[in-house]
């Protein structure tokens, strides 16, 4: 098992670095004005100040973009809920976006995030029972063991006297191993999938590459699904085949698995690394998390809100003319909701630009809202609580190994993150 997990850790690292190696595709950074990229810009852990200014002055504003698109940015909390919660007025059909960009709409990857009812309703009913806390509780021992194994590996590496990179050794392998166990995807196939999961989140660094990565991952998962049809395993794919095999075709099931695999890996990995950075910056919160299980719960909820690593929700398209926040959005217009902006709106609470490790849980939008709210939210919470508490209890004297100004963060990525996080474990 140790060698197996080492292989998966190596896969996860290569997966993470594959972004820098991809070429081709439409580089939207070169054609979009800075104003349009503003929702994806940050100053360290904080959204750029322009986003707060936009939210306060014009929570629903039109962004200047080429291609003949009408693009609206929604950054206010109430306005965000009005868009995300209204599936009748706004479509999530990814094929619409592909058609707007001159791509083949038939290549829509499917999955929960990219389809509308009634298809979305049917698919979510198949998936949701597997993500209830009762079903997920069976994963808790495995998650705790995965975390413990990673901390052991980190301790051995630290014995060499070198800093340990929390991104490579902690944040990446934990969610990749958890998702592998959840889905029942063969570990030995990781190399084939290594460059695919992260690619889609760098849409603004190469839209063509992102869509291509989605297509390749679906082809891979189609092969996995076909094997599971012949001999269903104990993972999520096998369970859905056993219980609902006649209700879902191979393409739809591959789309569901693809959404779970990529969404559950990249977003949780970013939360684990950035949340660890928050703890390193706040010794008092780190102490509380180390000593008190309830403090862990409060920290996770506040970190989810404060970091909002998924910076924007999937694009929506207005089905008809509709008014949001006093502004009329035209039929066919594209709407992008800034989750990082909405989660710092005063409508959600007081002093939300600051991190407060003792803040009572808010109704944040880090997992989205409405019918398309992340189905894996409770799994993410399980992983984060287990990982953060174990990390600071095992290494209470952990410190950052570089000047904070030297940390390199992603640029214009839908899922925000830090490239490396070197620490001394103490």
């Amino acid at each position: 098992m140790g060698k197996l997990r080492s292989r998966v850790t190596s896969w996860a690292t290569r997966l993470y670095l594959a972004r820098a190696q991809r070429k081709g595709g439409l580089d939207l950074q070169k054609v979009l004005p800075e104003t349009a990229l503003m929702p994806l810009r940050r100053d360290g852990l904080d959204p750029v100040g322009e986003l707060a200014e936009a939210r306060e002055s014009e929570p629903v504003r039109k962004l200047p973009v080429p291609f003949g698109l009408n693009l609206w940015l929604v950054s206010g909390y109430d306005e965000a809920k009005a868009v995300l919660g209204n599936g009748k007025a706004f479509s999530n059909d990814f094929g619409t976006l592909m058609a707007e960009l001159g791509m083949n709409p038939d290549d829509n990857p499917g999955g929960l995030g990219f389809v509308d009812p009634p298809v979305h309703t049917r698919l979510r009913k198949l998936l949701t029972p597997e993500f209830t806390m009762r079903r997920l509780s069976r994963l808790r021992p495995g998650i705790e063991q995965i975390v413990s194994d990673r901390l052991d590996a980190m301790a051995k590496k630290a014995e060499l006297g070198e800093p340990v990179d929390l991104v490579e050794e902690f944040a990446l392998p934990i969610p990749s191993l958890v998702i592998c166990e959840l889905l029942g995807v063969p570990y030995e196939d990781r190399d084939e999938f290594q460059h695919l999961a992260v690619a889609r989140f760098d849409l603004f660094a190469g839209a063509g590459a992102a869509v291509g990565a989605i297509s390749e991952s679906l082809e891979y998962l189609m092969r996995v699904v076909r094997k599971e049809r012949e001999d269903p395993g104990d993972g999520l794919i096998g369970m859905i085949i056993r219980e609902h095999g006649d209700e879902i075709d191979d393409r739809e099931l591959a789309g569901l698995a693809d959404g779970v695999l990529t969404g559950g890996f990249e977003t949780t990995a970013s939360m684990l690394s950035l949340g660890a950075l928050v703890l390193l910056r706040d010794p008092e919160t780190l102490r509380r998390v180390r000593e008190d299980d309830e403090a862990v719960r409060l920290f996770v909820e506040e970190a989810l809100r404060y970091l909002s690593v998924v910076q924007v929700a999937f694009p929506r398209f207005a089905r008809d003319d509709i008014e949001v926040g006093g502004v009329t959005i035209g039929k066919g217009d594209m709407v992008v909701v800034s989750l990082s902006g909405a989660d710092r709106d005063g409508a959600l609470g007081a002093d939300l630009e600051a991190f407060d490790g003792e803040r009572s849980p808010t109704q944040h939008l880090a997992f989205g809202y409405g019918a398309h709210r992340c189905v894996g939210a409770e799994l993410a919470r399980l992983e984060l609580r287990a990982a953060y508490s174990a990390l600071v209890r095992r290494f209470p004297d952990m410190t950052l190994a570089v000047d904070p100004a030297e940390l390199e963060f992603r640029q214009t990525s839908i899922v925000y993150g830090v490239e490396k996080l070197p620490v001394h474990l103490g």
Side-chain angles (χ1 to χ4, degrees):
M1 179 61 74
K3 292 182 178 179
L4 183 60
R5 286 183 174 167
S6 177
R7 290 207 330 257
V8 176
T9 300
S10 176
W11 160 78
T13 302
R14 294 195 305 274
L15 173 63
Y16 188 79
L17 296 177
R19 276 186 307 116
Q21 302 171 357
R22 292 190 311 274
K23 296 181 180 180
L26 177 64
D27 187 351
L28 297 184
Q29 290 190 86
K30 295 180 180 178
V31 296
L32 289 180
E34 184 62 27
T35 305
L37 294 173
M38 176 263 293
L40 300 180
R41 302 289 193 197
R42 293 212 186 188
D43 181 9
L45 298 182
D46 299 306
V48 292
E50 292 87 342
L51 184 58
E53 294 171 7
R55 183 184 63 236
E56 298 305 315
S57 64
E58 204 174 359
V60 180
R61 65 162 53 186
K62 196 171 185 179
L63 295 178
V65 292
F67 315 120
L69 291 176
N70 287 326
L71 176 63
W72 297 87
L73 172 66
V74 175
S75 54
Y77 180 76
D78 292 333
E79 294 81 2
K81 290 179 67 176
V83 172
L84 299 177
N86 192 345
K88 293 183 178 180
F90 294 96
S91 168
N92 267 65
D93 186 0
F94 194 70
T96 304
L97 174 59
M98 297 178 73
E100 291 285 351
L101 294 176
M103 301 174 185
N104 184 358
D106 293 335
D107 289 337
N108 185 342
L112 290 178
F114 298 122
V115 293
D116 294 329
V119 175
H120 175 270
T121 306
R122 177 173 60 82
L123 294 179
R124 191 168 182 110
K125 284 183 178 179
L126 301 182
L127 199 58
T128 298
E130 304 303 328
F131 284 89
T132 62
M133 284 305 297
R134 183 177 64 83
R135 293 282 187 102
L136 291 174
S137 63
R138 74 185 188 278
L139 295 176
R140 189 189 304 273
I143 292 173
E144 293 174 349
Q145 186 62 55
I146 287 170
V147 172
S148 178
D149 289 348
R150 290 315 311 153
L151 299 184
D152 288 345
M154 289 163 57
K156 289 182 180 180
K157 195 159 190 175
E159 291 175 357
L160 301 176
E162 297 293 328
V164 173
D165 180 9
L166 285 186
V167 173
E168 179 179 351
E169 302 294 336
F170 178 75
L172 291 170
I174 289 173
S176 66
L177 285 164
V178 170
I179 293 298
C180 286
E181 292 195 9
L182 173 69
L183 285 179
V185 173
Y187 292 100
E188 61 269 19
D189 290 351
R190 289 291 78 84
D191 284 345
E192 187 174 0
F193 200 73
Q194 63 177 310
H195 67 289
L196 302 174
V198 178
R200 70 201 61 206
F201 294 115
D202 274 335
L203 183 62
F204 288 90
V211 173
I214 294 172
S215 177
E216 288 183 55
S217 66
L218 283 171
E219 290 177 7
Y220 160 72
L221 285 167
M222 283 283 285
R223 294 196 294 273
V224 174
V225 168
R226 293 188 189 106
K227 290 180 181 178
E228 290 283 312
R229 289 276 188 195
E230 298 173 1
D231 183 19
D234 296 328
L236 179 64
I237 295 175
M239 284 192 286
I240 291 178
I241 288 174
R242 283 196 302 271
E243 298 177 13
H244 307 283
D246 295 335
E247 303 173 40
I248 186 169
D249 61 33
D250 289 357
R251 175 60 184 254
E252 288 177 324
L253 184 49
L256 284 181
D258 179 68
V260 171
L261 184 60
T262 56
F265 169 72
E266 176 76 352
T267 54
T268 304
S270 290
M271 273 300 303
L272 284 171
S273 55
L274 293 180
L277 178 57
V278 171
L279 288 170
L280 290 168
R281 299 194 324 181
D282 189 343
E284 179 57 27
T285 297
L286 188 151
R287 181 193 63 78
R288 288 196 300 269
V289 169
R290 185 176 68 243
E291 298 175 356
D292 182 5
D293 287 341
E294 180 57 28
V296 176
R297 293 178 179 272
L298 291 178
F299 170 73
V300 167
E301 289 308 307
E302 175 67 351
L304 285 165
R305 179 205 67 81
Y306 177 73
L307 295 170
S308 294
V309 297
V310 181
Q311 303 199 85
V312 296
F314 288 128
R316 265 70 170 172
F317 291 86
R319 300 179 190 273
D320 293 292
D321 292 355
I322 184 171
E323 184 175 303
V324 178
V327 176
T328 299
I329 295 174
K331 179 180 179 180
D333 289 0
M334 186 192 306
V335 181
V336 171
V337 174
S338 169
L339 303 178
S340 58
D343 276 342
R344 297 193 177 203
D345 191 334
L348 185 58
D351 195 26
L352 293 184
E353 290 293 346
F355 175 84
D356 180 357
E358 295 185 280
R359 192 190 305 274
S360 297
T362 61
Q363 298 297 314
H364 60 74
L365 303 180
F367 292 117
Y369 180 76
H372 284 278
R373 182 179 182 274
C374 177
V375 72
E378 295 309 318
L379 175 60
R381 287 185 168 108
L382 269 180
E383 292 181 69
L384 296 174
R385 291 167 185 165
Y388 289 138
S389 59
L391 176 68
V392 298
R393 288 169 182 170
R394 180 71 175 272
F395 307 114
D397 299 321
M398 179 178 60
T399 58
L400 196 60
V402 297
D403 188 309
E406 297 179 24
L407 294 176
E408 186 177 340
F409 297 91
R410 294 185 203 158
Q411 301 298 318
T412 59
S413 179
I414 294 173
V415 178
Y416 192 62
V418 63
E419 301 291 356
K420 295 182 179 180
L421 189 61
V423 297
H424 294 300
L425 297 181

